[in-house]
Amino acid sequence: EATIEAVPNYGYIFQGWSDDVTDNPRTLTVNNDITLTANFVADPCIIRELPYFEDFDNLTEATPADGKTGVQPDCWTLAHRDVSMTPEYEPMVYYNAARANSGDYSLLINKRGIYAIPAIDANISDLVMSFYLYESGAAYQLEVGVMSDLNDASTFVPIATFHNPNTTDIQYCEVNFSSYAGEGHFIAFHNTLRSGTSAYSCNYIDDLTVKYAPMNLTAVSADEEMGTVEGSGIVDYGTPATITATANEHYHFIGWSD
């Protein structure tokens, strides 16, 4: 007997062997020469294009009286439970327009734990994220951070903490991940108690956007006696920008430094 194993690289999943067997690892008896090819496909649970936006409005049409739809967004993961929780207390899409920034649905993060969005195929330190936060009580706060391993809560690195002191308002929140120096690909929310509190409350998030942080475009003149340059500023990633060099009298523009 021999055992073979297919190990996918990051961003891919094992689909099966060339003889349509999907066991992995696979043990087989070899009675003659045999060649087997491992087939891989792109992992559908990885965000490969940015910006990524989720408003939770197209995931269900359920309108339960208590708001709890029982629906979880595809590829989002409850990575860690700080306390025990039955399924009705796990994160889920919630029906109540008063707790959503737009539409009728938001994401309810109920009991304490870590909930991660799908992996992002980018350097997290290059990204920013915005979302809207509603809190139904004063006890909880919401940490936003990055994880490298969804099976290991100790890899959660907090980046920012939010608490909405006015539980009747919906708060706009923004996170810049430029300080993150790790190799994680999972942005995650940690629903946790504020210091000195022990009561139970909930957080609701809506209209989440992850995108590349704006870039600084700096264009300068090598010698301002010869000419000037216009167009420097902050530019959104991937958008066209125009810079213009204007030569002074008796001089000619000959090119940029690149």
Side-chain angles (χ1 to χ4, degrees), residues 93-104:
V93 176
Y94 191 82
Y95 172 70
N96 186 332
R99 299 183 181 187
N101 180 64
S102 65
D104 293 324

Side-chain angles (χ1 to χ4, degrees), residues 27 102 110 123 125 140 173 178 190 242:
T27 300
S102 65
N110 204 330
N123 292 323
S125 60
Y140 278 9
C173 305
S178 60
H190 185 198
T242 300

Side-chain angles (χ1 to χ4, degrees), residues 49-62:
E49 295 184 2
L50 295 172
Y52 168 78
F53 176 74
E54 181 58 75
D55 63 6
F56 309 103
D57 284 324
N58 297 314
L59 303 180
T60 180
E61 295 181 354

Side-chain angles (χ1 to χ4, degrees), residues 28-58:
L28 64 165
T29 300
V30 181
N31 296 318
N32 52 278
D33 292 344
I34 183 173
T35 299
L36 293 170
T37 301
N39 296 312
F40 301 92
V41 294
D43 188 342
C45 283
I46 290 183
I47 299 169
R48 301 179 186 276
E49 295 184 2
L50 295 172
Y52 168 78
F53 176 74
E54 181 58 75
D55 63 6
F56 309 103
D57 284 324
N58 297 314

